[in-house]
């Protein structure tokens, strides 16, 4: 195993900015939501799985991941974790924060430059004070923009992940895990530093405890001496017979002075006693705090080591899951293509078969139409013959009428007409003359009448 493989390694030189943690109900809420994910029907889902079922399960995975990331992002706010340091921002989201930071830094520099200009009448004439006011206003606005930048970037981030795919959400979860690893390590360093300061405090408290006890002993020795002197002074005061004499006053003054001194020493004794007890108490308190912090640091190391190791493995695991989802999609795509191919083959087969049957039916219809056509033509020819017969009958009537009225035998003329009509084109000279002969007669009859 390589020498640098130490998951529990903590470098105290790498000091991160401390973050104030406001422990609220966020952890309990997240645990409750995670507990709800237990599914007693998971075995049945596996046994009855189809590709369509997998789509629903993958969508549930995406929905669960999305809810978890939203909860984690909200949790960051509750416990005071800086948003931009704990979420994978894209370029546009990061740009909002970066631009706000640059504007704020530029405003600070401009205000500093404006204030550094000497307060002379010449500079004031050229707008020194107005520039300072403008720079102060810009700094105020820049600070507001910087304060709002995190929320704006967070809103864009939340909106982006609403429609994110599983791979993006898994990447976000991995990023948060890696950020948490660094955060745990920084917390271990902070705890370690507090432990060291507490160890120093224990030594100082212990020394002060010892000093307080020493001072107490010194005061007690002085008290013993003063008590003896006070006893002697009181005895001397009682032995003075004349209570109105100067000796009595002097003896009383001495007693009073000794009593005041004894009172002061008693106060010091109590103070040193209390101080010694307090320092002894803090020695135990600091010692208990160190034990608790050491235990917490040990637990953090365990969590960090596991999270770091598991995150590395989880990245590979997630890669496999994403590839599996893509493979499932490709498989479904291939199945769709196969289905479409089969359906296309069926459709083309149907079309080709329809072409053949339609062609055969068209041939049959053509054959069936021949007798019908002949029958129609027979009707045409019959009607034509019938019309000719009627014409010939009419012609006979006309010939007879002409012969009876005018003594003209029209038979020969009509026979010549029919002969000419059959051989000559329509409108020719041969066919026009006989038909035109009766017109003058009609005209004459018209004129004579």
């Amino acid at each position: 195993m390589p020498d640098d493989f130490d998951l529990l390694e903590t470098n105290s030189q790498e000091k991160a900015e401390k973050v104030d943690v406001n422990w609220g109900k966020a952890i309990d809420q997240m645990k409750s939501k995670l507990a709800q994910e237990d599914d007693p029907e998971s075995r049945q889902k596996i046994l009855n799985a189809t590709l369509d079922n997998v789509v629903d399960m993958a969508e549930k995975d995406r929905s669960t991941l999305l809810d978890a990331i939203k909860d984690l992002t909200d949790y960051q706010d509750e416990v005071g974790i800086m948003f931009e340091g704990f979420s994978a921002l894209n370029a546009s989201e990061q740009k909002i924060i970066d631009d706000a930071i640059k504007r704020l830094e530029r405003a600070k520099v401009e205000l500093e430059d404006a204030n550094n200009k000497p307060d002379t009448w010449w500079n004031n004439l050229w707008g020194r004070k107005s520039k300072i006011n403008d720079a102060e206003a810009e700094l105020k606005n820049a600070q507001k923009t910087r304060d709002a930048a995190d929320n704006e970037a967070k809103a864009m981030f939340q909106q982006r992940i609403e429609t994110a795919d599983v791979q993006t959400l898994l990447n976000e979860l991995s990023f948060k895990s890696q950020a948490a690893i660094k955060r745990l390590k920084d917390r271990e360093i902070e705890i370690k530093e507090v432990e060291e300061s507490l160890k120093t405090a224990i030594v100082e408290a212990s020394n002060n405890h010892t000093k307080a006890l020493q001072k107490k002993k010194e005061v007690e020795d002085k008290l013993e001496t003063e008590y003896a002197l006070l006893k002697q002074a009181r005895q001397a005061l009682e032995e003075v017979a004349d209570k109105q004499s100067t000796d009595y006053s002097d003896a009383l003054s001495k007693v009073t002075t000794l009593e005041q001194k004894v009172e002061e020493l008693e106060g010091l004794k109590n103070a040193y006693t209390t101080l010694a007890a307090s320092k002894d108490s803090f020695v135990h308190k600091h010692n208990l705090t160190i034990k608790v912090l050491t235990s917490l640091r040990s637990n953090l190391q365990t969590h960090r080591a596991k999270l770091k190791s598991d995150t590395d493995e989880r990245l590979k695991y997630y890669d496999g899951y994403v590839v599996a989802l893509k493979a499932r999609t490709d498989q479904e795509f291939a199945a769709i293509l196969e289905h479409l191919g089969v359906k296309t083959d069926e459709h083309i087969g149907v079309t080709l078969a329809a072409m053949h049957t339609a062609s055969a039916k068209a041939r049959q219809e053509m054959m069936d139409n021949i007798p019908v056509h002949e029958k129609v033509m027979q009707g045409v020819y019959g009607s034509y013959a019938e019309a000719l017969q009627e014409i010939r009958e009419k012609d006979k009537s006309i010939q007879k009428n002409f012969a009876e009225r005018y003594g003209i035998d029209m038979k020969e003329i009509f026979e010549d007409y029919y002969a000419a009509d059959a051989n000559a084109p329509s409108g020719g000279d041969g066919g026009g003359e006989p038909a035109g002969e009766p017109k003058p007669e009609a005209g004459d009859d018209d004129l004579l009448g």
Side-chain angles (χ1 to χ4, degrees), residues 41 142 158 260 413:
E41 299 178 358
Q158 293 282 45
Q260 288 179 334
I413 294 175

Side-chain angles (χ1 to χ4, degrees), residues 28 110 138 152 196 220 261 352 362 367:
D28 293 335
E110 290 177 356
E138 170 59 18
E152 186 177 353
E196 294 300 325
E220 288 176 343
K261 196 167 186 179
L352 289 174
M367 297 298 293

Side-chain angles (χ1 to χ4, degrees), residues 223 227 258-268 270:
L223 266 175
Y227 271 129
L258 288 171
E259 286 177 343
Q260 288 179 334
K261 196 167 186 179
V262 166
E263 187 67 26
E264 290 176 357
L265 290 173
E266 287 285 355
L268 283 176
N270 292 334

Side-chain angles (χ1 to χ4, degrees), residues 16-76:
E17 183 180 355
K18 294 183 180 179
V19 179
D20 293 332
V21 177
N22 177 22
W23 295 104
K25 59 183 179 180
I27 293 180
D28 293 335
Q29 290 177 341
M30 292 172 63
K31 285 183 177 179
S32 176
K33 286 190 176 182
L34 291 175
Q36 294 173 6
E37 295 303 319
D38 294 336
D39 190 353
E41 299 178 358
S42 58
R43 178 177 179 276
Q44 202 63 32
K45 287 184 178 180
I46 296 172
L47 293 175
N48 298 333
T50 65
L51 289 177
D52 292 335
N53 298 145
V54 172
V55 173
D56 296 335
M57 294 168 70
E59 178 56 30
K60 184 180 179 183
D61 290 344
R62 194 195 79 86
S63 177
T64 303
L65 272 171
L66 180 60
D67 291 341
I69 289 173
K70 285 180 179 179
D71 290 341
L72 282 171
T73 305
D74 293 337
Y75 174 68
Q76 292 169 210

Side-chain angles (χ1 to χ4, degrees), residues 118-291:
D119 187 6
T120 63
W121 70 269
W122 178 256
N123 288 334
N124 290 332
L125 179 66
W126 286 97
R128 173 183 175 273
K129 293 182 178 179
S130 63
K131 289 179 180 179
I132 291 175
N133 292 334
D134 292 343
E136 289 176 344
E138 170 59 18
L139 178 61
K140 186 176 180 180
N141 293 331
Q143 187 63 56
K144 289 181 179 178
T145 302
R146 175 64 189 96
D147 294 340
D150 282 355
N151 289 334
E152 186 177 353
K154 177 183 175 183
M156 291 179 63
F157 167 80
Q158 293 282 45
Q159 185 177 6
R160 174 169 60 87
I161 67 169
E162 282 285 347
T163 56
D165 56 15
V166 172
Q167 185 171 11
T168 301
L169 296 176
L170 289 174
N171 290 339
E172 173 63 21
L173 187 60
S174 299
F175 182 89
K176 288 186 182 296
S177 297
Q178 291 166 345
I181 292 170
K182 181 179 183 304
R183 179 176 171 82
L184 291 174
K185 186 174 182 179
D186 293 339
R187 187 67 69 194
E188 292 171 37
I189 295 173
E190 182 181 0
I191 291 175
K192 184 67 175 176
E193 291 180 352
V194 173
E195 288 177 6
E196 294 300 325
S197 66
L198 285 174
K199 289 179 181 178
T200 302
I202 287 176
V203 173
E204 292 176 353
S206 180
N207 290 337
N208 288 332
H209 175 258
T210 301
K211 290 178 182 178
L213 292 178
Q214 291 174 348
K215 289 290 184 180
K216 177 189 174 187
K217 182 65 171 61
E218 292 175 4
V219 170
E220 288 176 343
D221 291 342
K222 289 181 180 179
L223 266 175
E224 187 176 349
T225 302
E226 295 300 325
Y227 271 129
L229 293 175
L230 179 59
K231 184 178 181 181
Q232 292 175 3
R234 286 174 176 171
Q235 184 67 33
L237 180 63
E238 291 178 359
E239 291 176 353
V240 176
D242 187 0
K243 306 299 182 184
Q244 303 298 324
S245 64
T246 305
D247 293 338
Y248 184 83
S249 298
D250 292 340
L252 181 61
S253 176
K254 186 175 181 181
V255 169
T256 301
T257 302
L258 288 171
E259 286 177 343
Q260 288 179 334
K261 196 167 186 179
V262 166
E263 187 67 26
E264 290 176 357
L265 290 173
E266 287 285 355
L268 283 176
K269 175 185 174 183
N270 292 334
Y272 285 127
T273 301
T274 302
L275 183 61
S278 174
K279 295 305 176 182
D280 183 61
S281 173
F282 272 107
V283 167
H284 294 293
K285 290 176 182 177
H286 291 336
N287 186 52
L288 175 61
T289 305
I290 288 176
K291 289 180 179 179

Side-chain angles (χ1 to χ4, degrees), residues 84 91-92 94-111 135 138-139 141-147 149-150:
E84 66 268 23
S92 59
Q94 187 64 51
K95 187 175 185 299
I96 291 175
I97 296 174
D98 293 342
D99 289 347
I101 293 174
K102 290 178 183 177
R103 180 182 175 184
L104 181 60
E105 291 175 350
R106 186 167 56 250
K108 290 178 180 178
V109 172
E110 290 177 356
L111 179 59
E138 170 59 18
L139 178 61
N141 293 331
Q143 187 63 56
K144 289 181 179 178
T145 302
R146 175 64 189 96
D147 294 340
D150 282 355

